[in-house]
């Protein structure tokens, strides 16, 4: 089983719909992240959380919200999806410490907004 | 904010040729990481560099961190078809949050 699990893996939805992408991890890490990947743009940070009570915006948080339900769970929501949110979304985790922060990624959730 | 530039965006090589991708940061980094993403896959950690001037090797892959800790490179010697994928650098400044470069996609022609 994967250490970082994302659901759903693929989703097609319509403009204006609410979408939730879920992430769970078994690595025991405190730090969790949501990234968005678009061709040619690399990985851009949407939100991150250093523990259950800590939520921070990344560079492209507009139009997104998150919930850290437990240490192991971090969900990303699109309240009203729009077509330019069509992308591949990755959840990642890391340990603490600035020099111990290898990121472990989930397998990705491909979202298409029509 | 911190920016990490990575070049080239794409690189086509014949199998057996060498390949290099470069990253440059607008600010001094505490460390830099490298990841590989196979087509259709997710990024997978390769290595982390921490010290000024550090050089690390993994088989045919050589990673370097600049003396000023603002640039880094990944060099692959004698590429193979298994090296195909996108290579990302991710730099950490003082914020503990890694900033990714846009990646270099390596295409290896047999």
């Amino acid at each position: 089983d994967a250490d970082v699990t994302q659901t759903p893996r693929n989703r097609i939805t319509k403009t204006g719909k609410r979408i939730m992408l879920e992430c769970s991890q078994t690595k025991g890490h405190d730090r969790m992240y949501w990234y968005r990947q678009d061709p040619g743009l690399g990985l851009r940070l949407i939100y991150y959380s250093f523990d259950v009570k800590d939520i921070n915006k990344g560079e492209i948080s507009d139009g997104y919200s998150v919930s850290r339900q437990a240490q192991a769970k971090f969900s990303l929501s699109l309240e009203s999806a729009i077509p330019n949110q069509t992308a591949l979304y990755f959840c990642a985790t890391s340990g603490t410490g600035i020099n111990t922060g290898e990121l472990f990624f989930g397998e990705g959730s491909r979202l298409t907004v029509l | 904010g911190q920016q990490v530039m990575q070049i080239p965006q794409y690189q086509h090589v014949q199998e057996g040729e060498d390949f290099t991708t470069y990253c440059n940061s607008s600010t001094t980094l505490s460390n830099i990481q490298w990841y590989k993403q196979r087509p259709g896959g997710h990024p997978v950690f390769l290595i982390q560099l921490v010290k000024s001037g550090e050089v690390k090797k993994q088989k045919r892959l050589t990673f370097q961190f600049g003396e000023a800790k603002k640039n880094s490179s990944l060099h692959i010697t004698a590429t193979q078809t298994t090296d195909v994928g996108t290579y990302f650098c991710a730099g950490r400044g003082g914020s503990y949050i890694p900033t990714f470069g846009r990646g270099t996609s390596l295409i290896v022609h047999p």
Side-chain angles (χ1 to χ4, degrees), chain A residues 10-36:
Chain A
N10 289 282
R11 182 73 183 269
I12 300 173
T13 191
K14 295 182 179 180
T15 297
K17 295 291 188 180
R18 184 179 186 273
I19 296 297
M20 179 180 286
L21 306 180
E22 299 185 340
C23 177
S24 62
Q25 53 113 346
T26 58
K27 299 199 68 69
H29 287 160
D30 286 326
R31 298 182 177 184
M32 298 187 73
Y33 311 78
W34 275 104
Y35 285 92
R36 168 177 172 160

Side-chain angles (χ1 to χ4, degrees), chain A residues 9 31 33 35 37 39-45 48 50 59 88 90 94-95 97-108, chain B residues 9-10 30-31 33 35 37 40-45 48-50 86 88 90 92-103:
Chain A
R9 295 291 312 282
R31 298 182 177 184
Y33 311 78
Y35 285 92
Q37 185 174 32
L41 296 181
L43 294 155
R44 294 182 291 167
L45 184 64
Y48 64 99
F50 279 3
E59 61 181 305
L88 181 58
F90 285 105
S94 73
I98 195 167
N99 288 326
T100 60
E102 170 187 348
L103 292 173
F104 295 86
F105 286 85
E107 295 187 356
Chain B
Q9 185 175 359
Y10 299 96
S30 58
N31 64 49
Q33 298 174 341
Y35 293 81
Q37 183 179 22
H42 59 279
V44 175
F45 176 81
Q48 177 170 278
L49 304 173
V50 177
T86 301
F88 293 98
R92 267 197 177 88
S95 71
Y96 293 79
I97 304 301
T99 299
F100 281 81
R102 294 191 174 189

Side-chain angles (χ1 to χ4, degrees), chain B residues 43-69:
Chain B
V44 175
F45 176 81
L46 293 176
I47 207 162
Q48 177 170 278
L49 304 173
V50 177
K51 299 177 181 178
S52 171
E54 189 169 16
V55 178
K56 288 188 175 181
K57 292 189 176 183
Q58 291 179 350
K59 298 183 180 178
R60 293 177 296 103
L61 278 61
T62 302
F63 303 84
Q64 293 187 331
F65 201 10
E67 294 290 340
K69 300 183 74 174

